[in-house]
Amino acid sequence: MINKLYDFKDVAIPDALLKASVSREEIDSELHMTAQRFTTIAPASDGICNGDIVALEIPDEQAADSVRQVLVNMGRGFFDSEEALLGLCPGAQTQVFYEGKTVSATILAVKRKHIPKLTDESVCQLKIEGVATIADYENYVFENKAAQQRQRRMKGIFEIASKAVLAHTEFAPIRDDNEWYRTLYNSTMIQLETMAQQAGKSVDEIMPEALRMPGKTADECRRALEEMCEKHVKLGALGLYYAKQNGIEYTREESIARMQAYMPQLGQTEISEVEENMIAVDIIQRYADYFQKVISDYYKDKIQVVLQ
């Protein structure tokens, strides 16, 4: 399908996509969230503050000489009289607004969360391979954040690289007599016909909605579908080219096995006619994904991530 390949390595990628940073604030925030895993809760005898858990005793209006206990998570905003409790100590009495009335309340107990500072000992409890100290864990967090930054930039890099490769690679005619193209187009049309039947509409009526092209005519949708199928086949062809270079082949048998793995969940025992088309579509998709992987593998180590 490819007459002359344009090497993606020749594509000029903007420097902005090859540079990224992780802030010290991001690292500290992650360390704080990790420290919260070692939170302890203990009684507090000084004044109530936000974040405390307060146990109140309030008269029960439903039963004479009876009381009920109410737990208040301070700072959440779920209890109307939180401000009236601030600064009070266990045993104190105050007036609170509860269930539409102002009532007397006694503070039975106050418990406070304590988030300890991370130590080498607590970091070891995380049981992360190669992480035994705070410094190790900070580096581990940085590397994870850096990987996320690289992943975000890879989307832009792939879009730029693939667009250039598609534009400059010489392909054999795709729409004339290409089995992949016919399979992909026909499979999409079968899905559109099924959707149209379920909705009680014609294929022409369902196409703008199904292809997310509101306001477009059926002819415009068909032309767009042809372009999308052609582009996808070209991406698959590029993946096939690199896969062959690396001794990789995606076979029909593999796609059938992947599909059969889900059949029991769907209550099926045989592959339907529609799914026969999906086998070929699956192979095209896997090669297209492989082309993206080739570009990703090449550029992932070229994206420099620094700590700021």
Side-chain angles (χ1 to χ4, degrees):
M1 283 185 274
I2 296 176
N3 294 331
K4 186 177 180 181
L5 178 71
Y6 181 81
D7 193 344
F8 70 85
K9 298 175 185 175
D10 294 332
V11 179
I13 303 297
D15 287 342
L17 285 175
L18 297 175
K19 295 178 181 179
S21 64
V22 175
S23 70
R24 183 68 240 182
E25 289 75 13
E26 289 179 89
I27 302 294
D28 290 341
S29 176
E30 190 72 25
L31 294 179
H32 179 70
M33 286 191 289
T34 301
Q36 288 180 321
R37 297 170 61 175
F38 301 96
T39 296
T40 58
I41 300 177
S45 58
D46 55 353
I48 294 171
C49 58
N50 284 328
D52 289 348
I53 301 171
V54 180
L56 297 178
E57 185 178 80
I58 295 175
D60 190 347
E61 299 292 336
Q62 304 296 324
D65 300 324
S66 180
V67 294
R68 67 169 69 176
Q69 288 190 13
V70 177
L71 287 180
V72 180
N73 285 286
M74 295 295 292
R76 297 286 186 87
F78 298 136
F79 189 70
D80 291 333
S81 298
E82 284 187 10
E83 289 189 9
L85 302 177
L86 291 172
L88 299 180
C89 299
Q93 292 186 331
T94 186
Q95 298 289 305
V96 298
F97 190 74
Y98 183 71
E99 293 187 343
K101 297 179 181 179
T102 299
V103 297
S104 297
T106 301
I107 300 170
L108 295 179
V110 178
K111 291 187 177 181
R112 185 165 298 157
K113 297 178 183 178
H114 174 65
I115 302 174
K117 185 177 180 180
L118 280 181
T119 63
D120 291 348
E121 182 180 356
S122 56
V123 164
C124 285
Q125 293 181 44
L126 299 174
K127 297 182 179 179
I128 301 172
E129 185 176 355
V131 175
T133 66
I134 292 291
D136 291 340
Y137 187 62
E138 287 189 359
N139 186 63
Y140 171 82
V141 171
F142 171 77
E143 291 300 333
N144 281 343
K145 297 289 183 183
Q148 292 171 9
Q149 291 285 0
R150 292 188 182 97
Q151 187 62 36
R152 293 189 189 103
R153 277 155 177 73
M154 279 311 309
K155 181 179 180 181
I157 290 173
F158 179 73
E159 288 178 355
I160 292 172
S162 62
K163 183 177 180 180
V165 172
L166 288 171
H168 295 95
T169 295
E170 295 180 11
F171 293 91
I174 297 295
R175 302 188 195 185
D176 293 346
D177 189 31
N178 183 284
E179 182 179 353
W180 275 13
Y181 176 82
R182 288 198 309 272
T183 299
L184 190 57
Y185 183 84
N186 291 339
S187 175
T188 306
M189 289 303 298
I190 290 173
Q191 293 181 55
L192 289 172
E193 288 169 2
T194 301
M195 293 173 65
Q197 291 175 359
Q198 292 174 344
K201 299 180 180 179
S202 68
V203 172
D204 286 357
E205 290 174 323
I206 204 72
M207 285 183 83
E209 177 186 350
L211 298 179
R212 298 180 181 178
M213 300 178 64
K216 299 295 184 180
T217 65
D219 287 341
E220 289 173 325
C221 289
R222 280 191 170 83
R223 286 194 293 271
L225 177 59
E226 290 169 357
E227 291 173 0
M228 285 188 286
C229 290
E230 180 176 350
K231 177 182 178 181
H232 207 64
V233 168
K234 287 180 176 179
L235 290 173
L238 290 165
L240 175 61
Y241 174 88
Y242 287 104
K244 283 184 175 180
Q245 282 193 331
N246 296 321
I248 295 173
E249 180 182 9
Y250 297 126
T251 65
R252 172 183 169 81
E253 289 71 26
E254 288 175 338
S255 291
I256 291 175
R258 281 155 55 92
M259 195 168 292
Q260 287 176 332
Y262 292 97
M263 287 173 59
Q265 301 175 26
L266 302 175
Q268 296 177 219
T269 57
E270 297 181 357
I271 294 176
S272 66
E273 181 180 350
V274 173
E275 289 166 334
E276 279 287 345
N277 286 324
M278 293 305 297
I279 293 172
V281 173
D282 180 64
I283 293 174
I284 299 169
Q285 182 62 55
R286 294 180 74 187
Y287 279 121
D289 290 343
Y290 187 76
F291 178 53
Q292 183 170 358
K293 180 181 183 301
V294 169
I295 293 178
S296 177
D297 288 347
Y298 178 77
Y299 279 106
K300 66 181 181 181
D301 294 329
K302 293 177 172 54
I303 301 173
Q304 297 180 352
V305 184
V306 298
L307 178 63
Q308 286 188 339

